Amino acid sequence: AISFVCAVPAQKISRGALTKMQAFVVAPSARGLGGPGRAARRRHRPQWVAQAEFDGPKIPVGVLGATGSVGQRFVQLLEDHPWFDVKGLGASSRSAGKTYAEAVNWKQAKSIPASMRDIVIDKCEPDAGNLKDCAIIFSGLDAEFAGDIEDSFAKADRAVFSNARNHRMDEDVPILIPPVNSAHIEVIPQQRKNRGYKKGFIVTNANCSTTTMSIALKPIWDAFGIDLIQVATMQAISGAGYPGLSSMDMLDNVIPFIGGEEEKMETESMKIFGKLSSSGFAPAENVKVSAMCNRVHVIDGHTEAISLKLGKAGVRPEDVIEVLDAYPPVTRGFGLPSAPHEDVTYAHEKDRPQPRLDRMTGGGFTVTVGRVRPCNIHDIRLVALGHNTIVGAAGGSILNAELCVVKGFVQR
């Protein structure tokens, strides 16, 4: 593939944080696509990609719940981030006062980032230790504790990016997925007014299985409309946190129940695909979602079997595949440094996607769709796969924070 670089007019964003933009034309490559010859079979289309360059000191950020599974993924993904510098780590009182290396039971494949090993953990309070100097707060807190703590940081002028469910359905808080509903970010001024926040705010990401489904279906939704979604998930055990389910529960087994998961998929998706107006969020109309959620013995990567009744008649599988193949790189177009080359990609192999082979496509930020075919009950059926702790959790929150920087909602 050949890349062409050209300058575009400078744009001053967020008090001079972003001062230069570059546009790239790239051809799809086999990098991260999971199989020999796959790139050659895909449609070769040029993509305009905007890469925003960050000018000035990095923004100090903190991670709450830093010793947990999602917190560890935040720490891993934020290492050497071009815009953000991890200055504070928050956890429970039993971890406070210890260095991160002393307190964490590290379970990521790569070592603890050297720049964070010796950070002393603080209590999850806005004025505590290093956290008091952080402009952005990433929350990997358990829902049992997250709600009030996140609110306290927003009241203290912090931009809070949450993985917890507590604020997702609040009428002035967006469930933000940049490649799906970036316009929902515009609710932030109203949220500040409603809650008396000055500079702070709360943005949530969706439940991990909802994120995969939403990104996979966005191109289809835009092209043909969707009247009904029937989804059965096969969700990785990392979604239950560490240590998760016992080996006696998971080995040689499938658990056909994940508490609250089905309800989350059915309600969150309606808000995500809904519209933002001056009076708040209006859920998507005339759409029904039925979810069946299962825990399977896979470490990472949620797989979803989806059947769709479309809003447009006569749509063929090849029409859906064409739309998926042609979908532009939305997050890349915003200039977000963590954005993948493709938000959604289509796997043309008959037996893909598979968690072990496809979950790290796009560094774990790309959702892979495959097996588009006719449905004998509805119109179209397909399989979607996304990395539950990257695009579906910590990585999704990082994309949300990057978008808020680009849009000027984060002040340094």
Side-chain angles (χ1 to χ4, degrees):
I2 300 175
S3 297
F4 300 90
V5 182
C6 61
V8 298
Q11 183 178 4
K12 196 153 185 155
I13 304 174
S14 184
R15 298 174 64 185
L18 305 174
T19 59
K20 289 188 290 184
M21 304 284 283
Q22 290 179 316
F24 299 84
V25 182
V26 299
S29 71
R31 178 173 176 258
L33 293 178
R38 179 169 172 185
R41 293 195 300 274
R42 300 180 69 251
R43 170 180 293 187
H44 285 258
R45 64 192 187 280
Q47 301 172 355
W48 281 98
V49 176
Q51 176 70 49
E53 292 187 358
F54 193 85
D55 184 29
K58 292 184 180 182
I59 297 173
V61 306
V63 178
L64 306 182
T67 59
S69 294
V70 174
Q72 290 183 33
R73 186 66 82 176
F74 271 124
V75 167
Q76 181 189 50
L77 293 174
L78 288 167
E79 182 181 14
D80 298 324
H81 192 282
W83 297 359
F84 304 146
D85 186 16
V86 176
K87 292 295 188 182
L89 299 172
S92 66
S93 56
R94 67 176 178 270
S95 297
K98 299 178 181 178
T99 66
Y100 188 60
E102 292 171 337
V104 69
N105 183 14
W106 187 256
K107 293 296 178 181
Q108 304 302 313
K110 297 174 66 176
S111 300
I112 301 173
S115 61
M116 303 177 214
R117 289 182 59 87
D118 296 327
I119 294 178
V120 176
I121 293 178
D122 298 307
K123 293 181 180 180
C124 295
E125 299 172 355
D127 295 328
N130 295 316
L131 291 173
K132 67 178 182 296
D133 298 319
C134 297
I136 290 174
I137 296 294
F138 294 106
S139 174
L141 292 170
D142 187 272
E144 182 179 355
F145 313 104
D148 291 342
I149 292 175
E150 291 170 356
D151 186 58
S152 70
F153 276 89
K155 288 178 178 176
D157 294 338
R158 316 300 165 76
V160 178
F161 297 91
S162 172
N163 275 261
R165 68 172 183 267
N166 303 67
H167 293 290
R168 284 178 187 155
M169 299 309 295
D170 292 0
E171 57 186 32
D172 58 359
V173 174
I175 305 176
L176 189 63
I177 307 175
V180 178
N181 64 344
S182 61
H184 287 193
I185 201 174
E186 301 300 333
V187 78
I188 289 175
Q190 186 63 45
Q191 180 192 133
R192 286 170 168 165
K193 181 179 179 181
N194 292 348
R195 300 176 181 231
Y197 300 159
K198 295 180 180 178
K199 297 179 180 179
F201 58 87
I202 298 172
V203 167
T204 69
N205 55 5
N207 171 55
C208 47
S209 53
T210 307
T211 297
T212 292
M213 182 179 74
S214 299
I215 295 174
L217 297 186
K218 173 63 172 175
I220 302 171
W221 183 289
D222 287 352
F224 310 115
I226 297 176
D227 292 338
L228 184 147
I229 303 168
Q230 188 170 353
V231 55
T233 70
M234 293 155 275
Q235 296 182 222
I237 57 177
S238 59
Y242 184 84
L245 286 77
S246 71
S247 57
M248 286 292 289
D249 287 323
M250 285 312 306
L251 289 175
D252 189 34
N253 205 18
V254 172
I255 309 296
F257 174 75
I258 304 173
E261 198 81 357
E262 293 170 353
E263 294 79 6
K264 292 175 189 175
M265 293 193 75
E266 292 168 353
T267 57
E268 291 176 12
S269 55
M270 294 300 92
K271 183 175 181 179
I272 291 164
F273 282 111
K275 294 182 179 179
L276 175 64
S277 68
S278 58
S279 58
F281 291 102
E285 297 180 349
N286 303 319
V287 183
K288 294 181 178 180
V289 181
S290 177
M292 297 172 285
C293 296
N294 308 276
R295 188 75 70 192
V296 299
H297 43 278
V298 169
I299 298 295
D300 291 314
H302 288 354
T303 305
E304 301 177 5
I306 304 172
S307 292
L308 302 171
K309 180 175 176 59
L310 301 178
K312 182 179 179 181
V315 177
R316 303 166 302 168
E318 50 265 40
D319 298 328
V320 174
I321 293 170
E322 182 177 8
V323 163
L324 290 165
D325 267 339
Y327 198 67
V330 178
T331 51
R332 199 78 172 173
F334 289 126
L336 311 186
S338 298
H341 285 286
E342 296 175 292
D343 299 301
V344 59
T345 189
Y346 187 74
H348 289 262
E349 296 87 346
K350 64 182 180 181
D351 60 350
R352 303 285 274 275
Q354 299 178 26
R356 191 170 62 190
L357 301 178
D358 297 303
R359 61 193 168 206
M360 287 307 296
T361 299
F365 286 89
T366 297
V367 170
T368 302
V369 178
R371 301 208 67 212
V372 171
R373 58 210 191 279
C375 177
N376 293 331
I377 298 174
H378 304 305
D379 295 323
I380 292 291
R381 51 185 167 165
L382 54 87
V383 177
L385 170 74
H387 198 302
N388 53 296
T389 68
I390 299 182
V391 70
S397 284
I398 292 171
L399 287 175
N400 288 346
E402 293 170 354
L403 183 62
C404 284
V405 171
V406 168
K407 295 295 185 180
F409 288 112
V410 174
Q411 304 296 321
R412 291 190 290 158

